[in-house]
Amino acid sequence: MMMETLTAAAIQMVSGDDLAANLERAEALLAEAAAQGAQFVALPEYFYLMPADERARLALAEPFGAGPLQQRLAAAAAHHGVWLLAGTLPLQGTQPGRFCNSSLLFGPQGQCAARYDKTHLFGFDDGRERYAEADTMQAGDSIVSAATPWGPTRLSVCYDLRFPELYRQAPAPVLITAPAAFTHTTGQAHWELLLRARAVENLAFVVAPGQGGVHPGGKRTFGHSMIVDPWGQVLACHAEGEGIALATLDFTGQQTWRSRLPALQHRRFIG
């Protein structure tokens, strides 16, 4: 039987260049969310490391299914008995000098239920700020939908939000995850707009944990970790700094909304 409700938590962090400290903060916030009743907890993109030099993540890349980062997150999910979206973790790719920026979903027994490699890599340069993920990352090539007790969950990461067709492939998701490290510049303009748009056009809940502060090298992320319902309403938001956005998702209400707009249930999925 499908779950009718789910208490979800989007964890916001201000990760730095100290791996051990970042992991300790992630685990502390996870424990806090679980104590508040969260059954599903989502960490932000790069929760484990936000260094001044992006190449520092390469040394941490692990083979899928093995390695201390994956083992630690799996153990944390099992310890708290929650579904845990481990934001993104660095996994070994097939291209020399690049890693996969992978979002992993762990079940409450610590099993890895889904892996999604970020497909759309972010690049931005206005003369003052420069981001070039393709310099160190290998793009994924598959859309991933996880089978969860509440229904299909579509995994995505940050910049993916600008590409709506990623979410329109069958099966239609009841929940979309979007861990991010959105820049402050672009976040001010588009973060909430994109989250609410993806929620409304798919009639899906969106859980979007983010980075929210100033990081080594002076990079600033926008924060505003959000949980949005299928009608585009923001159920919870944590604006800046560390914290948790917590909300209960009502999937019975979602089915009511979907029944009122039957065209969405019969749309043609574009491949």
Side-chain angles (χ1 to χ4, degrees):
M1 179 179 293
M2 291 291 185
M3 293 175 62
E4 294 185 348
T5 62
L6 176 73
T7 301
I11 289 180
Q12 185 159 297
M13 295 181 63
V14 188
S15 301
D17 55 9
D18 185 328
L19 174 66
N22 294 332
L23 293 176
E24 287 178 7
R25 291 308 304 148
E27 289 176 336
L29 289 162
L30 166 60
E32 184 179 337
Q36 293 181 38
Q39 301 158 290
F40 171 73
V41 181
L43 294 168
E45 185 179 24
Y46 306 138
F47 71 92
Y48 63 96
L49 201 69
M50 285 285 285
D53 186 346
E54 303 289 331
R55 292 171 296 182
R57 298 191 188 102
L58 275 168
L60 300 175
E62 301 177 349
F64 179 48
L69 291 176
Q70 293 170 82
Q71 291 169 0
R72 187 162 177 171
L73 272 294
H79 176 73
H80 294 287
V82 299
W83 286 84
L84 175 62
L85 185 80
T88 61
L89 290 171
L91 298 184
Q92 293 174 2
T94 58
Q95 300 174 2
R98 289 182 171 86
F99 66 91
C100 296
N101 191 23
S102 303
S103 189
L104 301 184
L105 178 64
F106 293 98
Q109 286 77 46
Q111 77 280 16
C112 184
R115 167 188 174 176
Y116 168 71
D117 297 338
K118 186 175 182 179
T119 301
H120 302 98
L121 302 183
F122 181 59
F124 177 79
D125 190 345
D126 66 356
R128 293 178 293 106
E129 293 180 84
R130 181 181 183 275
Y131 301 86
E133 290 184 336
D135 287 353
T136 58
M137 296 177 200
Q138 176 179 329
D141 59 6
S142 299
I143 293 172
V144 174
S145 186
T148 57
W150 51 88
T153 296
R154 182 62 41 81
L155 275 60
S156 66
V157 177
C158 200
Y159 192 48
D160 285 329
L161 283 168
R162 296 189 183 274
F163 300 86
E165 294 304 330
L166 184 150
Y167 307 96
R168 292 177 180 170
Q169 312 301 309
V174 299
L175 174 63
I176 290 168
T177 60
F182 238 71
T183 71
H184 191 269
T185 301
T186 55
Q188 280 185 308
H190 299 145
W191 172 245
E192 181 176 339
L193 173 68
L194 289 168
L195 294 177
R196 296 177 70 187
R198 299 296 85 86
V200 170
E201 67 192 8
N202 294 286
L203 281 179
F205 288 97
V206 177
V207 176
Q211 296 279 353
V214 178
H215 309 273
K219 292 179 180 177
R220 184 181 179 189
T221 48
F222 184 60
H224 292 77
S225 296
M226 288 187 191
I227 299 176
V228 183
D229 78 9
W231 212 242
Q233 300 177 87
V234 177
L235 300 180
C237 176
H238 185 85
E240 296 183 6
E242 278 191 357
I244 300 171
L246 187 80
T248 297
L249 317 185
D250 180 357
F251 297 109
T252 59
Q254 180 182 45
Q255 293 306 316
T256 300
W257 289 321
R258 289 189 170 190
S259 68
R260 291 173 181 171
L261 295 171
L264 286 179
Q265 298 183 46
H266 302 285
R267 60 194 166 182
R268 177 176 303 215
F269 292 98
I270 302 173

